[in-house]
Structure formats: C-alpha cells, structure tokens
Amino acid sequence: VRKQWYQRRVRGHSQTHSSCFQNIYLAGKSITEKAVNRIVNGDTILIFKKSQLILHILLEAKAQNKEFKVVVVDSRPDLSGVSSCERLTAAGIPCSYVYINSSTYIMKKVTKVMLAADALLANGYVLGPVGTAMMGLIANTYNKPVIVCCETYKFCERVQTDSILYNELADPDSMLKTLNAEESPVAGWRESPNTRLVNLVYDTTPPALVSIVITEIAELPCSSAPVVLRRGAVKM
Amino acid sequence: VVSTQSTASFKNHEMDPFLLKKIPKDTVSRLEEFALYLRESKKERRSYVSVVKTVNVFRDLICTADWVTARELIKIIKCYCKYLPLSQSNETDVSNVVRRILKIIREENAGPEATNLADGISAFFKSDMKPSNLGRSDLQDNILNSIVELLVELDTSKSNIINMALEHIHSNERILTYGHSNTIRDFLLHGRRARDFEVIVCESGPSLQGHRMAAELSAGGIKTTVIADSAAFAIIHAVNKVIIGTHTIMADGALRAANGVHQLAMAAKYFSVPVIVCAALYKLSPTHLCSYDPDAFNKVIGPENMLNFSNAKLHSKVLISNPDFDYVPSDLIELFITNTGGHAPSYLYRIISELYHPDDYDLDNMCVETVEDEL
C-alpha cells in the first residue's frame, strides 16, 4: 500500500519535485531490502511501538515467505503498538504484545531487536520515541542485536548526550487515560501545586547500545553518522 | 499460573486426618477461614495485615492443639502448612512468618544453651529437638511470650524503617520511585518533615499504581512528578537515587518486585545511580530463584488493563503477557533498609541463618529435623 501511495505522489508532481519524493521512497525501499536480508527463519523479532518503516520491513519479509514471530512492546500513554499488532496479524505474522514493563520478561526469547529512529545525531546518539533507549539497554544486557533503521535524511548535525536538554512534551492529560474507566487519583493535578505530569516524546539512545544502523547507502555503526553528514548524502 | 478455586470445591479439600485428630472443632473452623482468606488473594491486600493475621492464627493453633513435645507441635504446624495455599507467589510473607514461629519453637525447646547454626559446623551435629525438661504448659508459655515479642517486632518494623529516612535523603535531592508502596510513601513523608526534596514517580505499568502514590505524596507536601515507565532511562541520569519497595527479598539479595522494576534498576546501574530497597524483614525469604520459567517464579494476570476487551478481535489473535512480578538480580541493588538497619545484599545470608532454621526452608517438607533422621 505504501509503495502505491508513493508512486501516486511521484506521478502527480512535476519533474522538479519528483526526484525529491523518489529519494524518500527509494530510501525506504533500499533499507527494506537490506533489513529483510537480516531476518532469518525462526527469528523472534522485537519491535517497539509503531513505525511505518519497521512494519514495511516485516510485511516484506512475510511476503518473501520467511517464518518468524514478532513481539510488540508498547508503552503508555499513546499505545501505538496496538495498531502495529493489528497490521501484523492481518498479514498473518504471529504476534505477542507486552508493555515496556515486561520487556525483561520476554527479552530472553527474542533473537533480534529492530528499532526505528526519528533522527541520528552527529555524535552517534539515536533519537527515537521515548522508551527506545530502554529497549536498547535491555537488549544489550541480554546480548541481543539492536538494529536501528534510519534513512539518511534523518541524520542531523545536532549533538546531544542526554534526553532532557532538548525534547518535546506531549499533552500531559493523555497520561490520565485508563483502560478500565476508573478515574486516575491524580486527575485533579492542575489544582494541586505539588503535582506535575510529564509526558516526554523523545529519548536518546547512546551509540554503545546499538549494534548496527541500516541506512539506504550502507549498513553502518552509529559512529559513522558524521561521515555520512560530511559526505552530503542528503541531496534533496 | 494461579488457579483460584471456588468456595464449593475448596470445601472438598480436606485437612489431613492426623491434623483433625489433634485440633478441637472450633479451631478447625478458624483455620479453614484463614486458608480461605489466603486463597482469595486480593491484589491490594497489605502484607502487614496478613502477617499479623497469620501470627494470631498460629498462636491459636499452638494453644488449642493436642501436643506434648515440641517435635509433635512442629509436625502439626507443618501439616497445617500443607493445607494452606503457600506455594502461590503472593504468600511469601505468610510463609516467612510461619518459619519465624517454627524457629521460636525450636529455640524455646532447646532452652538457654540453644546452638545457633551460624556459629559453626559442630552446630550441625547437635540436635535441637531433644524433649525439653519443660512440660507442655511451661514450654507453651515461653513460646507465646516469644510470639508476643515477634508481634511487637512486626508492629514496629515500619516505624524503624521510616525513622532512617533522614539518614538517606538530603536537601534538594531528586528521588525516583516506582509504583505504589506503603513503606516508601511513609518513608518519604517522614523525610519531608525535615528536608525539602523532589520525587519522580514512575506510573508502573498496566495497574498505574504510581498515580495513587503521586496523589498521596503530593497531599503530604512533596513536589511530585509523574512520568511514564518508558521515560525512566531518559530522566534517570538527572536523579540522585532510586528508592523502591519490594514484594519479596530472595535469599541472595535478589528481589521479586513489581513488574518493571528490573529495567529501572538496569537503567540506574548504567548511570551509576544507587538503588535502595526499603522492606521489613518478614519479606526476606530463604528461597532462591531456581528457574527462569515464568510459572515457577512469576504470576501472569489478566490483560484487561493492557488491552481493552472491546478489542476482542485482537485478543484472540495476539499472545498478551501481563506478568505480575519482576526478578531483580542482587548486583543491581546497592542497599537494603530493613527494620534492623541498613544492610548490603551480601549480608542477607547471615540474617537468614539467624531468623530461620534450615529444616523449615521448604515448608512442604514434613521432616522436623534432619540431624536425627540421618543419625
């Protein structure tokens, strides 16, 4: 479906713009080819929440008739892993679903961890949805390879060593949503002077926790990020 | 996996006839009531309440059962323990208190020259179970006095822990805690009386106990921030220490704690943030982790808090895991604050040898004393 969407977009735009979209589409396609090669029969792959690219990779691997299972790790408050599960089960891939709290419980049975990145910083840190760093840490402790899939247009000259200095805050009231329709005890947090809800959007994963970064030009270690930036691979 | 039996089928589970011979009728009904109370394992049940209940029930048993020597009494108690649902993960506090009571009985029987097993190898070859000079009534009096001392210790265990708050919290600190714990809440509120500090609370998984903790802490005047569990790694480098409670402490200093504590402790280790565990000694269990098999160690509960049943189509196709506990290895823990003071995880083996007798580690084992049986 994604391929058709991109092709429609490319056809619909004028000549000057089409190469732009082609680069975005081809980047995803190239990463998918490389990543699918790394999936073998019998794998149990752990993914974190929802990412178009990772889902595309898994669906492509299934289309190539590879036998594997997926563990979807989800976290509050947005719970986007549910829609990941829906897409994977629709394609016939056996799925497990856990919250991030239970990730140490299931990590033993996992063979690889595939994470998506929102950006790759110049010092090798991976910026991803909050919780990515935790997945990287746990995977490292249990000696599972961590594969980060990131297109080169996401590489960034910024450097950052921690997650707090530069981040985004999402709506704090979304943390109050509970699935069992009971009101949260901190529902009146705005009236209380002592309570705050903090809903971070991103976090940075140190490069030591990442095994490999798959980009459309090559499969690199995290430390190669400045080399790619210097090479100017991003020609938009 | 826990199987809860309905009351009807429970009544079919009879007490051992040996036990029924030794106990009068009205005590039997009280013992059955206690077993039912344990079987209806309510999640919010405070461990202190069940521990006090246990001591009272066993005190009742000791007074009314038909025994002459300590050996007979221990056999009766162990027989009753087989009837109780003690092998469920929830019941470690009850088992520990029963082990304390058995140790009290053995000590009172051996009299003032009681050999402490921690004192050396020769202690292994001395029998504590020789019939004492004291008759039943004197022995029973001694045992009941010691049990009263045990109750006082259980009563004061929380206040002993929270009185140490000022030694471990300094001004302008940021403390990270996980989920809800009565001990930690009172510990932090006690520290608030003299120091000004901030607390960051992790929501704690599907049950969201962290919200309750945050509400209680901010009502007590502590500046509290609630974060999602996934954000723990992101903020932990800016935190001074992690203070958590636990459900059980294993014999090597590992924890059986709330789901999600292991990854928090791993993140703390990565950034060298000390992890401090506050727990009373009745949570210290002389059992080790024998198997990583979830059924042996963990308990998996229903996923209705994770994924709505309105999403029924997904429920039928996806394997959803909602484990209740988490195993935290002892190398991730810096300090235990217990009612007897602060201890390193490496010291707990010594406390275990003082609190419990090796023949009671496995309550299913009906053997009263291995020494004589081997000789």
Side-chain angles (χ1 to χ4, degrees):
Chain A
V1 169
R2 189 171 189 247
K3 184 170 164 179
Q4 289 164 2
W5 184 87
Y6 276 128
Q7 280 180 339
R8 260 183 269 136
R9 288 287 171 281
V10 167
R11 270 187 251 120
H13 281 80
S14 68
Q15 204 58 22
T16 43
H17 289 302
S18 69
S19 60
C20 191
F21 285 100
Q22 264 185 359
N23 277 337
I24 298 173
Y25 164 63
L26 289 174
K29 190 161 182 282
S30 172
I31 291 179
T32 307
E33 274 171 26
K34 295 188 170 73
V36 166
N37 281 337
R38 290 196 171 266
I39 299 178
V40 297
N41 283 339
D43 256 346
T44 304
I45 299 174
L46 186 142
I47 68 171
F48 185 62
K49 290 172 101 156
K50 183 174 182 170
S51 157
Q52 291 285 11
L53 181 59
I54 303 288
L55 282 178
H56 196 243
I57 293 169
L58 295 174
L59 295 174
E60 181 62 32
K62 182 69 179 172
Q64 291 183 14
N65 293 321
K66 297 207 178 188
E67 301 279 322
F68 60 96
K69 292 191 232 177
V70 174
V71 178
V72 178
V73 176
D74 206 4
S75 79
R76 290 192 81 240
D78 48 340
L79 296 179
S80 51
V82 178
S83 62
S84 275
C85 267
E86 284 167 3
R87 286 198 62 188
L88 292 169
T89 47
I93 302 174
C95 259
S96 291
Y97 178 79
V98 289
Y99 269 24
I100 194 169
N101 317 67
S102 325
S103 41
T104 48
Y105 176 76
I106 44 90
M107 190 57 81
K108 287 179 214 62
K109 305 224 181 83
V110 162
T111 54
K112 333 184 133 69
V113 175
M114 293 187 98
L115 301 172
D118 282 310
L120 208 74
L121 305 176
N123 58 345
Y125 277 66
V126 176
L127 193 82
V130 67
T132 313
M134 188 67 92
M135 298 318 304
L137 176 67
I138 302 171
N140 254 271
T141 311
Y142 286 87
N143 289 316
K144 312 291 177 186
V146 176
I147 304 171
V148 171
C149 299
C150 184
E151 298 93 330
T152 53
Y153 58 76
K154 288 180 179 169
F155 281 47
C156 174
E157 297 89 28
R158 218 156 36 85
V159 289
Q160 204 175 315
T161 51
D162 64 65
S163 318
I164 302 184
L165 220 55
Y166 192 96
N167 209 323
E168 273 178 37
L169 288 178
D171 177 22
D173 288 319
S174 61
M175 289 173 75
L176 297 174
K177 263 193 319 205
T178 53
L179 285 177
N180 51 7
E182 277 171 22
E183 214 194 31
S184 162
V186 283
W189 66 278
R190 287 184 200 274
E191 285 84 43
S192 159
N194 288 329
T195 326
R196 262 190 326 172
L197 299 185
V198 168
N199 189 2
L200 288 176
V201 177
Y202 297 114
D203 76 7
T204 51
T205 309
L209 301 180
V210 175
S211 313
I212 196 170
V213 178
I214 300 184
T215 67
E216 72 272 20
I217 51 175
E219 291 166 325
L220 318 158
C222 267
S223 48
S224 298
V227 174
V228 170
L229 285 167
R230 189 189 159 117
R231 202 172 159 269
V234 186
K235 287 200 182 72
M236 296 283 282
Chain B
V1 173
V2 168
S3 63
T4 47
Q5 295 178 337
S6 67
T7 321
S9 62
F10 168 72
K11 287 268 184 333
N12 292 336
H13 180 65
E14 288 285 329
M15 275 200 220
D16 199 306
F18 163 75
L19 198 61
L20 288 170
K21 261 189 296 185
K22 299 277 183 176
I23 319 175
K25 278 271 163 21
D26 40 358
T27 318
V28 170
S29 60
R30 280 197 288 272
L31 296 181
E32 281 178 349
E33 209 182 288
F34 179 64
L36 193 62
Y37 165 78
L38 289 184
R39 225 165 264 273
E40 292 172 353
S41 62
K42 295 181 191 18
K43 260 223 94 170
E44 312 304 335
R45 190 176 75 207
R46 293 185 50 188
S47 56
Y48 172 69
V49 166
S50 40
V51 150
V52 168
K53 242 188 159 73
T54 313
V55 175
N56 288 329
V57 162
F58 278 84
R59 190 162 47 168
D60 194 16
L61 178 60
I62 292 171
C63 291
T64 55
D66 173 25
W67 55 275
V68 176
T69 61
R71 178 179 282 271
E72 284 174 26
L73 176 58
I74 292 183
K75 260 206 160 62
I76 292 173
I77 290 182
K78 286 204 168 182
C79 206
Y80 180 49
C81 286
K82 277 183 108 86
Y83 176 71
L84 292 173
L86 288 182
S87 53
Q88 288 181 24
S89 309
N90 257 357
E91 310 307 340
T92 44
D93 40 4
V94 169
S95 320
N96 293 338
V97 164
V98 173
R99 291 183 184 108
R100 293 290 297 271
I101 294 176
L102 288 170
K103 172 93 177 176
I104 286 173
I105 297 171
R106 288 171 196 274
E107 270 178 3
E108 294 304 335
N109 185 58
E113 320 89 33
T115 51
N116 190 356
L117 278 171
D119 285 341
I121 274 200
S122 57
F124 276 114
F125 300 103
K126 295 207 182 109
S127 168
D128 273 340
M129 287 277 91
K130 283 205 260 300
S132 135
N133 320 334
L134 306 164
R136 168 178 167 150
S137 54
D138 285 335
L139 184 57
Q140 183 169 308
D141 281 341
N142 287 347
I143 293 175
L144 291 178
N145 283 338
S146 292
I147 288 187
V148 166
E149 281 174 21
L150 174 64
L151 277 174
V152 168
E153 184 196 312
L154 296 173
D155 233 346
T156 57
S157 54
K158 191 202 264 195
S159 52
N160 284 345
I161 294 174
I162 66 181
N163 283 336
M164 286 185 265
L166 293 178
E167 290 170 32
H168 295 279
I169 303 176
H170 65 77
S171 282
N172 296 323
E173 229 182 5
R174 246 182 252 124
I175 295 175
L176 180 66
T177 185
Y178 188 90
H180 186 271
S181 162
N182 289 319
T183 314
I184 302 298
R185 178 200 61 205
D186 294 338
F187 186 85
L188 294 173
L189 288 175
H190 187 87
R192 179 71 184 93
R193 288 196 225 166
R195 308 249 200 272
D196 200 8
F197 57 96
E198 269 182 47
V199 173
I200 301 177
V201 181
C202 288
E203 269 183 338
S204 111
S207 56
L208 298 183
Q209 291 296 316
H211 287 201
R212 187 156 72 105
M213 179 74 147
E216 288 167 4
L217 288 176
S218 47
I222 301 179
K223 286 200 220 42
T224 320
T225 308
V226 180
I227 60 164
D229 312 314
S230 42
F233 190 95
I235 54 97
I236 201 158
H237 69 92
V239 152
N240 295 105
K241 42 174 75 97
V242 176
I243 302 185
I244 48 175
T246 179
H247 177 265
T248 309
I249 308 173
M250 317 289 278
D252 57 347
L255 302 182
R256 180 195 274 135
N259 192 27
V261 173
H262 186 189
Q263 51 161 28
L264 181 67
M266 278 164 58
K269 184 86 177 187
Y270 187 83
F271 287 104
S272 299
V273 173
V275 175
I276 299 175
V277 178
C278 297
L281 280 180
Y282 61 77
K283 293 189 178 178
L284 175 61
S285 181
T287 48
H288 289 266
L289 174 78
C290 300
S291 140
Y292 288 110
D293 178 14
D295 284 341
F297 179 77
N298 217 325
K299 196 175 81 162
V300 181
I301 55 178
E304 60 272 5
N305 283 336
M306 284 174 66
L307 196 62
N308 243 330
F309 280 127
S310 58
N311 229 325
K313 262 198 301 188
L314 206 56
H315 263 273
S316 59
K317 294 196 196 129
V318 172
L319 179 69
I320 306 174
S321 297
N322 191 7
D324 208 9
F325 297 118
D326 219 352
Y327 172 72
V328 185
S330 57
D331 54 337
L332 299 178
I333 298 159
E334 192 69 31
L335 182 69
F336 282 98
I337 298 179
T338 65
N339 43 311
T340 53
H343 305 293
S346 50
Y347 183 67
L348 292 180
Y349 81 95
R350 188 85 191 173
I351 299 181
I352 286 178
S353 67
E354 286 168 10
L355 292 179
Y356 312 119
H357 191 276
D359 289 329
D360 301 329
Y361 287 175
D362 180 10
L363 282 176
D364 280 340
N365 177 10
M366 286 300 294
C367 148
V368 171
E369 193 183 34
T370 27
V371 172
E372 264 210 28
D373 291 6
E374 271 161 21
L375 293 176

